[in-house]
């Protein structure tokens, strides 16, 4: 699965967790679903650094958080369905243990997940009832995050560029934008912070 899809599925799950799970734990859960794909940054290490059980053990020991660990497990589970996930026991062994449902990598499936997230955001978060600018900002961010699925293909079609750097930037920026659409920063808090800074400078 694409990185943005991992994030989108985690956000969909967050919508159904309700208020019983804190905002902090939801954020950690979503970040956990993103973490393993950080090994995309240097392509030769893809799947070898963070897509293994030892990375999960490291996360459990360092963070001691069920939320971030669950996010990593969700990521592994999705990769188990979509590919061979042969690095799960790396460096001890390389064993093909996934289902290899390659259609989960298709643009259509990934965009479908993005649309499901958008619908979930609108109805589970009850955005239609409150139509202020803040709501439109969240919807705009969600749509931009979903459209990031197509940036590598668009760059290839329009500019004949098939660059891994563009793919990686689109992957992670799209993920961050999606996260911000669900967990938007509190504008009032930001305004207060900026006012305090301007007062201390003067």
């Amino acid at each position: 699965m694409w990185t943005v899809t991992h994030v989108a599925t985690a956000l969909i799950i967050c919508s159904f967790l309700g208020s019983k799970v804190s905002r902090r734990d939801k954020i950690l859960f979503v970040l956990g679903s993103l973490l393993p794909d950080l090994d995309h940054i240097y392509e030769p290490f893809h799947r070898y650094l963070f897509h293994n059980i030892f990375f999960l053990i490291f996360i459990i020991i360092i963070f001691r958080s069920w939320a971030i660990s669950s996010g990593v497990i969700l990521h592994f589970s999705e990769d188990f369905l979509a590919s061979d996930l042969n690095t799960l026991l790396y460096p001890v062994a390389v064993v093909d243990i996934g289902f290899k449902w390659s259609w989960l990598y298709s643009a259509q499936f990934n965009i479908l997940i993005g649309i499901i997230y958008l619908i979930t955001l609108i109805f589970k978060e009850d955005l239609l009832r409150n139509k202020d600018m803040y709501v439109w900002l969240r919807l705009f961010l969600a749509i931009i995050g979903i459209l990031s699925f197509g940036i590598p293909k668009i760059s290839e079609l329009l500019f004949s560029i098939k660059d891994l750097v563009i793919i990686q930037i689109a992957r992670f920026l799209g993920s961050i934008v999606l996260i911000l659409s669900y967990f938007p920063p509190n504008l009032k808090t930001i305004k207060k912070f900026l006012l305090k800074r301007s007062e201390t400078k003067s």
Side-chain angles (χ1 to χ4, degrees), residues 128-159:
L128 294 179
R129 186 179 294 179
N130 186 1
K131 296 181 180 178
D132 61 11
M133 285 298 293
Y134 202 53
V135 169
W136 294 115
L137 175 63
R138 292 183 70 182
L139 290 174
F140 174 74
L141 290 173
I143 291 165
I144 293 297
I146 293 164
L147 290 177
S148 71
F149 287 123
I151 289 173
K153 195 65 180 176
I154 291 166
S155 68
E156 187 180 349
L157 291 172
L158 294 181
F159 309 108

Side-chain angles (χ1 to χ4, degrees), residues 13-32:
I13 292 169
C14 282
S15 289
F16 288 93
L17 291 176
S19 56
K20 291 180 182 178
V21 178
S22 69
R23 178 185 168 92
R24 177 184 174 276
D25 282 340
K26 286 179 181 177
I27 291 171
L28 288 174
F29 174 68
V30 175
L31 290 177

Side-chain angles (χ1 to χ4, degrees), residues 195-202:
L195 282 170
K196 281 183 180 177
R197 286 202 64 172
S198 63
E199 284 172 6
T200 51
K201 284 182 180 178
S202 58

Side-chain angles (χ1 to χ4, degrees), residues 12 20 22 32 44 57 67 71 76 90 106 125 127 133 139 141 153-154 162 176 197:
I12 291 167
K20 291 180 182 178
S22 69
I57 291 167
F76 287 174
Y90 179 85
S106 70
E125 298 295 306
L127 295 188
M133 285 298 293
L139 290 174
L141 290 173
K153 195 65 180 176
I154 291 166
K162 192 174 183 179
I176 291 165
R197 286 202 64 172

